[in-house]
């Protein structure tokens, strides 16, 4: 009860006579003003603490949502696995790469998400090596879905430490289209090499033809230069022969 600015606790107990009937009361008063003030302060502190916790929880939730939106906007496949090989974080691209798990992959391992158990075991061995040595692993791999479709991935996996725990951070880039373009480029390059060889062959043939043509012109010119004086000599020999015959007759 409150009396003025002070609080008191009143305790009333019945008193019984020899016939077990109530014959009176005992009354006990105790000042509890200080206790009430402390309880009010404690209650206010609890309310402020709960509000602070709610505000902090909301802030962390907003930060987590913002971070998730950021990594979801990245086209690379991003995931984090713990020291037991279980997924603890994936972005949207990584989640979409596992169409056979519409309920999500959080808490699952590579053995659960990959159809090739051999490949999954290899990934888990790589995970253990990364957690043990802290060295980064860069490689290419092929992911085959349940329907047989293949995706070429460029993998980068490294060690991530948070709150004293060790995780593996994986960033995968889908290079399926690049691989397709690479194949087309190799085919075009092969065709270009074949065309270059044909062109070189044709060029060599043309050069040989030009050489033969030049040689023919040269031979024809030399023959002409030789034939002209020979013709003159031949004509003069006939004249000289007749003149010599006349001289012999005169002698």
């Amino acid at each position: 009860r409150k009396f003025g600015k002070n609080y008191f606790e009143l305790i009333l107990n019945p008193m019984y006579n020899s016939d077990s009937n109530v014959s009176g009361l005992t009354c006990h008063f105790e000042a509890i003003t200080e206790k009430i003030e402390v309880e009010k302060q404690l209650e206010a502190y609890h309310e402020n603490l709960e509000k602070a916790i709610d505000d902090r929880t909301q802030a962390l939730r907003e930060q987590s949502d913002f971070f998730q939106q950021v990594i979801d906007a990245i086209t690379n496949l991003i995931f984090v696995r713990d020291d037991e090989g279980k997924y603890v974080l994936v972005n949207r691209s990584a989640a979409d790469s596992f169409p056979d798990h519409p309920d999500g992959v959080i808490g699952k391992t590579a053995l659960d998400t990959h159809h090739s158990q051999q490949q999954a075991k290899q990934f888990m061995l790589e995970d253990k090596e990364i957690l043990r040595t802290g060295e980064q692993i860069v490689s290419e791999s092929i992911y085959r879905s349940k329907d047989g479709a293949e995706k070429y991935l460029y993998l980068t996996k490294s060690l991530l430490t948070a709150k004293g725990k060790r995780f593996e951070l994986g960033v995968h880039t889908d290079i399926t289209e690049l691989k397709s373009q690479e194949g087309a480029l190799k085919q075009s390059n092969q065709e270009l090499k074949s065309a270059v060889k044909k062109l070189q062959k044709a060029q060599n043939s043309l050069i040989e033809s030009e050489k033969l043509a030049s040689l023919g012109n040269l031979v024809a010119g030399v023959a002409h230069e030789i034939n002209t004086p020979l013709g003159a000599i031949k004509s003069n020999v006939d004249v000289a022969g007749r003149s010599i015959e006349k001289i012999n007759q005169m002698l």
Side-chain angles (χ1 to χ4, degrees):
R1 294 182 179 181
K2 186 177 181 182
F3 182 76
K5 293 183 179 181
N6 298 319
Y7 290 87
F8 296 89
E9 185 177 56
L10 174 62
I11 301 175
L12 300 173
N13 290 310
M15 296 178 59
Y16 300 92
N17 57 21
S18 59
D19 295 328
S20 299
N21 295 320
V22 177
S23 61
L25 296 172
T26 60
C27 183
H28 173 73
F29 286 89
E30 181 180 357
I32 57 171
T33 304
E34 185 177 350
K35 177 182 177 182
I36 292 295
E37 293 297 328
V38 171
E39 288 178 351
K40 287 182 178 181
Q41 293 176 5
L42 186 60
E43 184 177 356
Y45 174 78
H46 284 166
E47 290 178 356
N48 293 333
L49 182 60
E50 288 179 358
K51 187 177 184 303
I53 292 175
D54 290 340
D55 292 344
R56 180 58 177 167
T57 302
Q58 181 63 25
L60 290 175
R61 185 178 295 110
E62 291 176 355
Q63 289 179 3
S64 178
D65 292 342
F66 177 73
F67 174 74
Q68 188 67 45
Q69 291 176 10
V70 170
I71 64 174
D72 283 344
I74 300 174
T75 57
N76 299 80
L77 281 68
I78 301 175
F79 68 85
V80 177
R81 288 197 288 254
D82 61 15
D83 54 2
E84 295 181 355
K86 295 180 180 179
Y87 290 94
V88 296
L89 174 69
V90 294
N91 70 339
R92 186 177 301 279
S93 297
D96 292 343
S97 69
F98 300 112
D100 303 328
H101 300 277
D103 56 337
V105 297
I106 300 299
K108 294 182 173 63
T109 67
L111 291 172
D112 302 319
T113 57
H114 291 68
H115 297 287
S116 174
Q117 296 297 292
Q118 181 179 359
Q119 190 179 50
K121 291 178 181 178
Q122 176 187 347
F123 287 158
M124 296 187 76
L125 289 175
E126 290 179 355
D127 294 352
K128 291 181 179 179
E129 188 66 15
I130 292 172
L131 295 175
R132 185 181 67 85
T133 63
E135 295 182 357
Q136 187 182 67
I137 292 181
V138 178
S139 64
E140 289 186 12
S141 71
I142 301 176
Y143 174 74
R144 294 179 177 86
S145 60
K146 191 175 182 180
D147 59 1
E150 292 184 347
K151 285 186 177 181
Y152 290 85
L153 300 177
Y154 180 78
L155 316 179
T156 301
K157 296 190 289 187
S158 54
L159 178 66
L160 176 66
T161 304
K163 296 182 179 180
K165 295 183 178 180
R166 298 164 72 86
F167 301 88
E168 176 209 350
L169 170 64
V171 180
H172 297 357
T173 304
D174 189 344
I175 57 174
T176 305
E177 184 64 26
L178 291 178
K179 282 292 184 181
S180 177
Q181 294 177 1
E182 181 182 0
L185 183 61
K186 286 182 179 180
Q187 180 66 26
S188 299
N189 190 33
Q190 190 65 31
E191 293 176 356
L192 182 60
K193 286 183 179 179
S194 178
V196 169
K197 287 182 180 180
K198 291 180 180 180
L199 181 62
Q200 288 177 343
K201 186 176 180 180
Q203 185 179 15
N204 291 335
S205 298
L206 182 61
I207 291 174
E208 292 297 327
S209 299
E210 289 294 330
K211 287 182 179 179
L212 291 175
S214 299
L215 181 60
N217 291 332
L218 177 62
V219 172
V222 171
H224 176 72
E225 294 299 327
I226 294 175
N227 190 47
T228 299
L230 286 178
I233 292 172
K234 182 180 179 181
S235 299
N236 292 329
V237 165
D238 291 339
V239 175
R242 288 194 298 270
S243 299
I244 292 171
E245 184 178 354
K246 289 182 180 180
I247 292 173
N248 287 333
Q249 291 175 358
M250 291 176 66
L251 291 176

